[in-house]
Amino acid sequence: MSGNDGTRHRIALIPGDGIGREVVPAARRVLDAVCERHGLTLTYTEYDWSCERYEREGAMMPDDALDRLAEHDAILLGAVGYPGVPDHVSLWGLLIPIRRRFQQYVNLRPIKVFEGLDSPLRTARPGEVDFVVVRENVEGEYSEIGGRIYQGTPQETAVQESVFTRAGVTRILDYAFDLAGRRRGYVTSATKSNGIVHTMPFWDELVRERAAAHPDITWDQEHIDALAAKFVLQPGRFDVVVGSNLFGDIITDIGA
């Protein structure tokens, strides 16, 4: 665990699959340079948990994997997923259990146009596009609740439940409003309450409730389909965008 002086930390290193094996060594070199400059010490324990391990041993990670990770101060994970292993197997066998065990409920994704790097959008200029998507990361649409029946028959049915709790939605909204208070003071909420009749009106109600507790923050909401278009048409408009697990996942890929 961390040293008493706060300068020593144990890092669990999981390169994972594909590009993860390229970016994690590069990230480690950056971290080592930071440590040298600021007098920090990071000790790494590398784990080979990956799709390659799944094909070799039938599991993305061992049964005691989460207990092993709990002994570290942080987890540096590269990427999950590789052709030949179904995505739901790789994700639910590694990434999602980690997120839920350690309540990693904020998935923070900054989007910025840098000087010297051209954006695919001709209207997206350096200094004008700089926003953050706050994606709820442990509940919402990515739930284990549901199932399939009558498989292989004309009556085959699949049911997938979304789970939105007051505690879960409130904490992600508070994070977004607090973050906006340290930035430009503007929150946009991603919703779809015109079509999703229970969870999204619930989400919208809690947005209004939390906005009232942050009167210094300007906020609005957009239906997710319109928001996706405005990411492309008006990328300089946004400051902090908050969304559910699924919505945040999709719009951050558009942001990238």
Side-chain angles (χ1 to χ4, degrees):
M1 301 301 290
S2 301
N4 292 332
D5 59 0
T7 63
R8 304 180 64 85
H9 306 279
R10 297 186 60 188
I11 310 299
L13 209 63
I14 309 175
D17 302 303
I19 197 173
R21 301 187 183 189
E22 298 179 37
V23 299
V24 165
R28 180 171 175 175
R29 289 196 296 273
V30 172
L31 290 173
D32 290 343
V34 170
C35 288
E36 184 175 353
R37 174 167 294 189
H38 295 283
L40 304 174
T41 300
L42 302 183
T43 58
Y44 302 94
T45 304
E46 184 166 339
Y47 299 101
D48 70 340
W49 305 340
S50 60
C51 288
E52 185 176 294
R53 185 188 191 279
Y54 176 83
E55 291 184 328
R56 186 176 66 246
E57 303 187 33
M60 294 290 293
M61 56 184 180
D63 292 340
D64 65 345
L66 298 180
D67 290 333
R68 290 196 214 176
L69 293 178
E71 297 175 356
H72 297 78
D73 298 298
I75 303 164
L76 179 58
L77 190 151
V80 180
Y82 204 77
V85 177
D87 289 339
H88 68 277
V89 170
S90 59
L91 221 62
W92 283 89
L94 179 61
L95 185 62
I96 293 180
I98 291 173
R99 289 176 176 174
R100 294 189 170 175
R101 166 69 178 271
F102 301 110
Q103 284 296 295
Q104 298 172 341
Y105 67 91
V106 176
N107 192 324
L108 194 64
R109 298 188 173 186
I111 296 157
K112 186 175 184 177
V113 177
F114 291 98
E115 291 284 352
L117 295 176
D118 292 334
S119 168
L121 300 179
R122 64 179 181 272
T123 58
R125 300 179 180 87
E128 296 179 8
V129 177
D130 182 359
F131 65 97
V132 179
V133 176
V134 178
R135 170 191 170 193
E136 201 289 319
N137 206 40
V138 296
E139 53 177 50
E141 301 88 351
Y142 292 2
S143 161
E144 292 180 86
I145 301 173
R148 294 171 62 179
I149 58 174
Y150 307 127
Q151 289 173 265
T153 74
Q155 293 79 35
E156 185 168 5
T157 303
V159 176
Q160 179 76 51
E161 300 288 350
S162 296
V163 176
F164 287 73
T165 67
R166 173 172 284 273
V169 176
T170 296
R171 67 185 178 182
I172 198 69
L173 295 176
D174 280 341
Y175 185 94
F177 278 100
D178 289 342
L179 178 61
R182 301 192 299 274
R183 289 174 52 89
R184 301 198 307 274
Y186 172 37
V187 170
T188 300
S189 170
T191 186
K192 190 61 181 172
S193 49
N194 61 341
I196 301 176
V197 70
H198 297 303
T199 56
M200 284 293 100
F202 175 62
W203 173 280
D204 293 349
E205 290 167 14
L206 292 179
V207 171
R208 288 191 292 272
E209 179 182 296
R210 301 321 301 157
H214 298 80
D216 54 326
I217 303 299
T218 301
W219 70 280
D220 58 18
Q221 64 184 38
E222 294 277 2
H223 290 143
I224 186 64
D225 43 350
L227 182 60
K230 290 175 183 178
F231 263 32
V232 176
L233 296 172
Q234 304 170 348
R237 163 187 159 186
F238 301 102
D239 179 22
V240 174
V241 181
V242 63
S244 67
N245 211 327
L246 178 61
F247 292 173
D249 199 2
I250 293 170
I251 60 176
T252 50
D253 283 355
I254 297 173

